[in-house]
Amino acid sequence: SLVGPTDQATAFNRGIMDQPVKLAKVNSILGRTGNTGNVTQVRVEFYDDPSRSIIRNVKGPVREGDILCLLEWEREARRLR
């Protein structure tokens, strides 16, 4: 049986929706990075463990107080130089 493009997209989206996520609040903006400055480094604090905070790279508009939905929360971004 052939799988059409919409079936593939549905399967892909279903795979993402089944993954656990963590919510994190942006505490501070550390700076811009990337070749063209299109990535922002932020320090986030997890909702389920407020004592834990990590640095993440965010693509797109972001400001302090925003809530990020992280699909992967173990990895921390390297600091800006």
Side-chain angles (χ1 to χ4, degrees):
S1 73
L2 296 174
V3 176
T6 55
D7 295 336
Q8 289 174 343
T10 302
F12 176 75
N13 289 335
R14 189 176 300 123
I16 288 178
M17 298 304 289
D18 290 343
Q19 293 179 356
V21 296
K22 277 204 180 191
L23 297 178
K25 180 181 175 188
V26 176
N27 278 351
S28 61
I29 296 183
L30 303 176
R32 310 280 294 198
T33 185
N35 284 342
T36 59
N38 59 346
V39 176
T40 308
Q41 271 201 342
V42 298
R43 179 170 295 279
V44 298
E45 175 184 281
F46 292 104
Y47 269 97
D48 61 348
D49 185 8
S51 65
R52 183 166 173 239
S53 68
I54 63 171
I55 296 169
R56 291 299 300 250
N57 292 331
V58 179
K59 191 170 183 181
V62 64
R63 59 185 173 195
E64 287 187 28
D66 282 356
I67 298 171
L68 303 180
C69 184
L70 302 177
L71 295 176
E72 198 278 322
W73 54 87
E74 296 296 325
R75 193 171 14 153
E76 186 166 1
R78 283 181 279 179
R79 289 298 307 255
L80 288 170
R81 286 183 267 154

